[in-house]
Amino acid sequence: MPIATLSIPALPEQAMTARMVVGAAARRAGMDPETVDDIRLAVTEAVARAMLRSRPGERVRVSIRDDLDQFRVDVSDTTAEDVVADDESELTVSLIQALSPRVVVTENEWNGQTVTLAWPLDPRQEPAGHR
């Protein structure tokens, strides 16, 4: 079930909005503080990548889910026609992969890409707010 879906302008200062919301959702899901830090950093990188890939005036979509077995974040962009894959984008994906146990990059319905990040929830710990 989605906890939140954000649609933010593709402006650098908006990455902090996504970081704050995702961090709060991860804490609510019962993630440990170290993992919350990893989640926030990975999402910040994914959002920054999406902003660089988006057309001017477009929005970046961030969907946060707290499923039974995982905490999942999808970051979706639209792609400007002149955007090409570059080394920095690949380096960003590598950093995200180092922070998240599951990273999948797929094409999306907006002619862009969606980066899906997922962390397992600890089955021994009941998520905060679910008591």
Side-chain angles (χ1 to χ4, degrees), residues 67-98:
D67 295 325
L68 293 176
D69 62 344
Q70 67 179 348
F71 181 81
R72 175 178 152 178
V73 180
D74 296 314
V75 178
S76 301
D77 63 57
T78 57
T79 302
E81 293 175 10
D82 59 347
V83 171
V84 294
D86 62 9
D87 291 339
E88 185 173 335
S89 181
E90 295 306 315
L91 182 61
T92 299
V93 171
S94 294
L95 174 59
I96 294 167
Q97 289 172 329

Side-chain angles (χ1 to χ4, degrees), residues 4-21:
T5 300
L6 305 173
S7 177
I8 56 177
L11 300 169
E13 59 270 17
Q14 293 299 319
M16 184 59 73
T17 301
R19 179 184 178 98
M20 290 171 48
V21 171

Side-chain angles (χ1 to χ4, degrees), residues 5-131:
T5 300
L6 305 173
S7 177
I8 56 177
L11 300 169
E13 59 270 17
Q14 293 299 319
M16 184 59 73
T17 301
R19 179 184 178 98
M20 290 171 48
V21 171
V22 169
R27 284 190 303 276
R28 179 193 161 281
M31 305 302 281
D32 67 81
E34 185 176 313
T35 302
V36 171
D37 288 344
D38 288 349
I39 291 169
R40 290 178 15 193
L41 181 54
V43 168
T44 301
E45 290 296 324
V47 168
R49 178 183 182 274
M51 289 179 177
L52 290 173
R53 294 176 45 82
S54 293
R55 296 179 185 103
E58 291 290 332
R59 301 182 80 74
V60 171
R61 291 163 184 83
V62 181
S63 177
I64 307 160
R65 296 183 183 281
D66 173 359
D67 295 325
L68 293 176
D69 62 344
Q70 67 179 348
F71 181 81
R72 175 178 152 178
V73 180
D74 296 314
V75 178
S76 301
D77 63 57
T78 57
T79 302
E81 293 175 10
D82 59 347
V83 171
V84 294
D86 62 9
D87 291 339
E88 185 173 335
S89 181
E90 295 306 315
L91 182 61
T92 299
V93 171
S94 294
L95 174 59
I96 294 167
Q97 289 172 329
L99 295 165
S100 175
R102 180 172 177 257
V103 178
V104 178
V105 180
T106 57
E107 300 301 315
N108 65 36
E109 62 192 78
W110 305 287
N111 296 319
Q113 292 183 343
T114 296
V115 177
T116 298
L117 309 117
W119 290 262
L121 291 173
D122 184 348
R124 297 167 294 175
Q125 182 177 2
E126 187 174 324
H130 288 214
R131 296 182 180 141

